[in-house]
Amino acid sequence: MRLTDYTDFSLRALMFVALHPRRLPTIAEIAASYGISRNHLMKVVYGLSLAGYVETVRGKNGGLRLARPPQEIVLGEVVRLTEPDMALVPCFDPARPSCVIAPACILRRALHEARSAFMAVLDGYTLADLVANGRDLSALLAR
């Protein structure tokens, strides 16, 4: 299973904002700290804002802040939002014609169970868990 850059950037942006609860980090600052595209991150932050994970503050001293406490932001929820296609194989996609062996396919069942287990693990973590080692993370992100 591979997550998209969009999901990766979403999770990392949330982590960065959670690490700085007393100030408003900017998109430019987050992009520079991670060495990622500012333009791509703008799209990510827009999506996180629409979903109610971050609030954007405009103006000279503007930036981002979490819209909810970090312990209420569940990783599995964010991944489900940012990964619209969790179809591991073509036969998971309802828009595609069914595979000829689908009625007897154990592989499909095994992959479905694996995807469910993957998401169950992510559902066991919150944003607060990801930034529990905040001092170490902040030191690595300081640029």
Side-chain angles (χ1 to χ4, degrees), residues 27-47:
I27 291 172
E29 178 186 2
I30 297 168
S33 292
Y34 285 121
I36 60 180
S37 163
R38 183 179 174 276
N39 289 336
H40 196 137
L41 191 57
M42 286 175 62
K43 295 174 190 170
V44 165
V45 168
Y46 178 73

Side-chain angles (χ1 to χ4, degrees), residues 71-131:
Q71 61 272 16
E72 292 180 14
I73 298 176
V74 177
L75 248 51
E77 181 183 298
V78 176
V79 170
R80 284 180 190 88
L81 172 80
T82 58
E83 289 290 330
D85 180 13
M86 292 293 286
L88 298 179
V89 290
C91 65
F92 278 28
D93 185 350
R96 291 191 175 190
S98 183
C99 175
V100 295
I101 65 168
C105 186
I106 296 172
L107 173 61
R108 178 185 164 112
R109 181 176 40 189
L111 292 174
H112 181 67
E113 287 178 29
R115 181 181 65 183
S116 295
F118 177 78
M119 294 309 298
V121 169
L122 293 180
D123 286 337
Y125 285 88
T126 67
L127 181 57
D129 297 322
L130 296 185
V131 297

